[in-house]
Each structure stands twice: as C-alpha cells, then as structure tokens.
Amino acid sequence: MTTYTAPVDDMQFILHDVLQISTSGVPGFDELEPDFTKAVLEEAGKLASDVLHPLNKVGDEQGCRLENGVVRTPEGFKAAYDKVCEGGWIGLDCDPEYGGQGMPHLLNSCVGEIFVSANMAFNMYQGLSHGAYNAIYTHGTDEQKRTYLPKMVEGTWSGTMNLTEPQCGTDLGLIRTKAEPQDDGTYKISGQKIWISAGEHDMTDNIIHLVLAKIPGGPDGVKGISLFIVPKFMVNEDGSLGERNAVSCGGLESKMGIHGNATCVMNYDGATGFLIGEMHKGMRAMFTMMNEARLGVGVQGYSQGAVAYQNALAFAKDRVQGRDVTGAKNPGGVADPIIVHPDVRRNLMDQKAFTEGARAFALWGAQLIDRSQRSGDAESEALVSLLTPVLKGFLTDKGFETTVLAQQTLGGSGFTTEWGLEQFVRDARITMIYEGTNGIQSLDLVGRKLGLNGGKTVMGFFELIKSYIKENEGDAALKEGFLDPLKAASKDLQGAATYFMQNGMKNPNEALSGSYDFMHLFGHVCLGYMWAQMAKAAYVAKANGTGNAAFYDTKIATGRYYMARQLPATGMHRARIESGAAPVMALDVEQF
C-alpha cells in the first residue's frame, strides 16, 4: 500500500542553494552542476520507486531462509541487486582505479537516502560492502586492494563487518575469536560472531568478511585486537574462486524488523584469514568502517522517517473525518480531510520539519567528509568527528519518533500491516541500536569528542554558530524567526558544556548522567543552524526571482515551525543536565 518518491527538488535545493557545492572549493565539486546532480538523483529515484520499494513489503513478509548452509533472500531481491550493480550505484563514490566512478561522498549520501527510504533492508547488503571496501582501501596492502576491491565495487562480491560475539558487544576487549599465525603468513580464525548483517546470502559469488580477532600472546583488551580479511571462498592467484573457506552461517536471527536482510550467526572454524593493517591495530582499521557506518545509520534513521511522512501526508489528504472547526472545507462531502485539523497539522509539521532539517544536516556532514578527504582539511575532519555521534544518535532517535508520528497520523489503520506504516516503525527501530547504541553515542560525544583537540573543536563549532548569527543579524526577517532562536539554543548548548567542564572532572557521573540530553541538545542546535541556512537561501532565491516561489515560501514556513516549536527543547535538555547526577543515581541497585 505504501509508495515512495525521491525528494529530488529538496536535495537540489540543499546541494546548490544551501551548500553551494559547485563553488565550495572542494576538489571534484565543480563537476557537480545542477543538471548533472538532478539527472543522477532522478535515475536513482526511478530505480527506488519502480524496483526497490515494491520489494519492501515482500522482504518484510518473506524474510530470509537458511537452507543447507545457504541463505535465500526474498523473492525479487537478486534481480533488483543485479539492477543496482548494472547501474554502477555500488561504486558511485569509489576509486576509478578499482572500477568506481569517483563521485563525492556527498552525492553517494543523497543516493543512499533514496535507496534506504525505498527499501532499507535491501540497501543494507551493498551498504555493508561499501564499509568493507573503505576499510580495505584505507588499510589494505596493494595486493589486497587488487584482489578484492574491483569485484566489490562491481558488486559481484559483497562485504561484511564482524565485531559482536555472544559475550560482548560494546566492550570489544572481551572478544574470544582467535587468529593463530601460520607459516605461510596467513592466520587460522576460530570463533563465533553474532548479529552479522548480510553475513550469508545468495546474491553475490563471494562474501568478504572483515573479522576482529586476537592473536595469541598479544596485549590484553582492545590493544590486542587485529583485523582480518576472511573470504567465503578463497581467491586464486588469477582472481578466480577456489575452495570454500571454513566459515559458515550457523543461524538467522528472528527480528523485530529489517526482515529482508540476513542477520547471521557466523562460525569460523579454523578459517583462513589475512591480516589487514598492523598487528594489534585492528580497532583503528575497524573504525574506518564503523565511522562510515554510523553516519550511514544516521541517514537510515531520518530516511525511514521521510518515507513514513510521505505516506502519512497522502493519507491525511485523502482520509475524511470530522469537520474543520472554522467551517467546512469539503462541503460537498460527508466530512473534511483530516489534514484540516490542527493536531493533525502539528503531527505532520513535526515530521516535515525534522526530515528536511535532518537531510540538510546529514548532507552537510557528508560535505565535511569530502572536504577533509579531498582537501586534507584537518578542521573539517575534526568537526565531522565531533558531529558523528550526534548525526547517528539524534537522527535515529528522532527518525524513529517520526515513523511513530506518521503511524499515528493513520490512526487505527497505522496499526495494521495492510497500510505499511508499522513496517517503517519496526525497521527504523534498529537504527537506534546497531553500530553503537545511542547511549554509547552520547557517552562518546561527552566523554571523548568534547575534549577533542583540547576542546578546540567544540569551541570552533560554537564560534561557527556565533559568526553565522553575527554575519546575518542585519536581515530582519532572518533575525526574528531564525537567528534569535538559534542564539538562545546555542547558549543552552554552551551552558551545558560549561556545566560538564565545571563538574565533570570532580565527579564523572555529573557529565555522564546528562550525556543523552546533551546529544539531543546538540542535535537540535545543528538542525536549527541548518534551518537558518535554508531560510536564508530561500529568501535570497525569492529575492532573485529564481526557482519556485511556492517552494521557498513553504521552506521558510517549515523552518519557522521548527524554530518556534522544536528548537526550544534545548532549554528542557539543559535543565535536565544541570539537575546533575543526584536524581539519576539516587537509588541503590536493590531499590530498582
């Protein structure tokens, strides 16, 4: 029953009016002219609407099956995957030396949103491959790159990341998987990994597993972890596939959502592995995958909210129930469409204001990645490192909340499987959990990222907001509706950070008890900053008489809603933070 249309116009507005990518000075961005990006996004949109989204419900209902050690994906997934490969979508931002198209990560993020909104479970197969590609590309030897990357870029081989074990998730220092050195320089990998997305499936000829394991005799804890390439099938010197490696799927998880993706228990029984990167430095290499994955999960979070909003809006325009209290808007009918009612409007505006703000925030983050990688800009690299837990944690929390709001728009129909909204809710829920739970993201933000570069990075962010406000405060329309609320929110953020600095050193719980609120406070400020920039771009475009005036009016009104109705939440989060650790830690364990 659900449909999906790619938000091409909104993406174009962010790319060219807000971020102004073609004149941003990032190498390669000058090629991203509006006609080019529009053509790419429209083609991605067609594939998403016509091929991927119709399989979303199929994947949810059929799920994956484990038959004689082989995972069978839902009907139609293999054919759809082949279409994605044929279009070169998997290698959109990969190195041309290995068959990629060399496009910026920013454009790949736009396409990623489109594909995730259409079918999140399906997109996870190539999403994990992209992360494995980046880890090998960044840390692998030239031989490893030549052996694995071309096939991964073209999509005939896929990739995974293997971290979690039955006894440990976040605390990876407790992993037990062993890597025994062999005389030929390889390692025998033995152990079990759980919750491995796309760990086994029938859509590619080979699966390249990246596995964390400990070499006997190494340091304790995370300092003794190494990373290994463990292919499902061994690769011969001529590039052909050899014998099956000693790695197998021991079972499939029964899950709340993302049924179309195979979440596997993986058994390594003396499988042949190849060290990637330095011995005992596996976490450094794995974080190349995890940081990208966390940004990708942030996109997943708001993308599910975006598609849920599209369907909630269509329902609200069509469903008739009750009369507008100010007078009938559909006098010829038995009732008015529910979109006339203020509370339904509030619900829809919450969804719209978040998803559009989140899209701008995520694409700004992607632009920072490109700037750091393509220009060697250390400040951009530090800033996106600071923002990563916010992008992941805030966008997935609010993205899930948005799917629930969309479901609520449909009333009782939203609770039924027939209308499809409940699937978006179930699928979005995992984004708050995997790649580091959102609680872990908040601890990372407060415990590690605030002190990045001696605190210079977060102070740089404060200055970024302050400078933007100062540069534009002469614009009366922008000042009242956008800059003044942003200034107040930014003061809340700085006040909360000051509280941590003054109290956290004496008692770490004073900071950690408020970390989750701080992540959300930070997220609201980031979206407020994005809405201020979008409003300015819309005002400028209107003044210049370019584009669609109705689009710009809508953008400004939506932004005003966010600034008036959502951004004030920063005051609540600050108050919670400044209440300290005492209310959180008041009970003894026995009192719970």
Side-chain angles (χ1 to χ4, degrees), residues 211-229:
V211 184
L212 288 181
K214 290 185 175 181
I215 300 171
D220 294 332
V222 295
K223 293 182 179 179
I225 294 176
S226 301
L227 183 64
F228 300 88
I229 297 173

Side-chain angles (χ1 to χ4, degrees), residues 120-366:
M120 177 174 158
F122 174 88
N123 193 68
M124 288 172 65
Y125 290 99
Q126 58 262 34
L128 269 297
S129 295
H130 196 277
Y133 162 90
N134 271 343
I136 297 173
Y137 182 79
T138 304
H139 300 282
T141 65
D142 289 341
E143 181 182 359
Q144 288 171 340
K145 294 177 187 179
R146 288 192 299 269
T147 300
Y148 301 106
L149 296 188
K151 292 290 187 180
M152 295 175 74
V153 169
E154 69 181 21
T156 51
W157 296 357
S158 58
T160 69
M161 52 193 295
N162 287 237
L163 290 79
T164 307
E165 298 182 6
Q167 78 286 351
C168 70
T170 301
D171 191 355
L172 290 171
L174 300 178
I175 68 171
R176 297 173 184 163
T177 301
K178 292 183 179 180
E180 297 280 355
Q182 304 299 299
D183 292 339
D184 61 358
T186 64
Y187 294 79
K188 291 298 182 185
I189 313 297
S190 298
Q192 185 179 78
K193 300 289 185 177
I194 62 171
W195 304 338
I196 308 306
S197 300
E200 168 62 32
H201 56 85
D202 58 359
M203 297 200 297
T204 59
D205 298 332
N206 202 4
I207 302 175
I208 312 304
H209 302 288
L210 295 193
V211 184
L212 288 181
K214 290 185 175 181
I215 300 171
D220 294 332
V222 295
K223 293 182 179 179
I225 294 176
S226 301
L227 183 64
F228 300 88
I229 297 173
V230 185
K232 175 181 175 180
F233 289 98
M234 301 301 293
V235 182
N236 297 322
E237 289 186 9
D238 63 358
S240 63
L241 296 183
E243 62 183 12
R244 175 71 183 258
N245 207 352
V247 52
S248 61
C249 175
L252 291 175
E253 300 290 351
S254 179
K255 302 167 296 185
M256 175 180 177
I258 53 168
H259 295 155
N261 193 268
T263 305
C264 304
V265 175
M266 300 302 299
N267 295 321
Y268 294 86
D269 302 305
T272 299
F274 306 89
L275 181 69
I276 176 172
E278 297 179 49
M279 186 182 298
H280 310 314
K281 302 292 184 183
M283 291 305 297
R284 180 188 302 171
M286 183 57 80
F287 267 105
T288 299
M289 292 185 68
M290 290 184 67
N291 284 335
E292 177 191 344
R294 285 172 176 172
L295 293 169
V297 172
V299 172
Q300 286 182 331
Y302 84 79
S303 296
Q304 290 302 285
V307 65
Y309 164 67
Q310 284 190 14
N311 285 274
L313 176 62
F315 182 92
K317 289 180 176 180
D318 184 66
R319 173 73 164 173
V320 294
Q321 197 84 42
R323 288 293 189 190
D324 188 329
V325 294
T326 63
K329 294 298 187 290
N330 180 33
V334 296
D336 289 332
I338 64 172
I339 198 170
V340 304
H341 304 306
D343 191 62
V344 175
R345 289 287 188 97
R346 171 202 58 79
N347 192 332
L348 291 170
M349 286 296 287
D350 279 348
Q351 298 170 52
K352 179 178 175 64
F354 166 72
T355 55
E356 292 181 14
R359 179 176 296 123
F361 183 26
L363 296 185
W364 177 44

Side-chain angles (χ1 to χ4, degrees), residues 509-517 576-589 591-592:
N509 283 340
E510 294 290 341
L512 300 183
S513 295
S515 62
Y516 210 91
D517 279 286
R576 287 177 175 174
I577 290 167
E578 293 180 346
S579 72
V584 177
M585 307 302 291
L587 298 183
D588 292 332
V589 173
Q591 292 180 282
F592 279 92

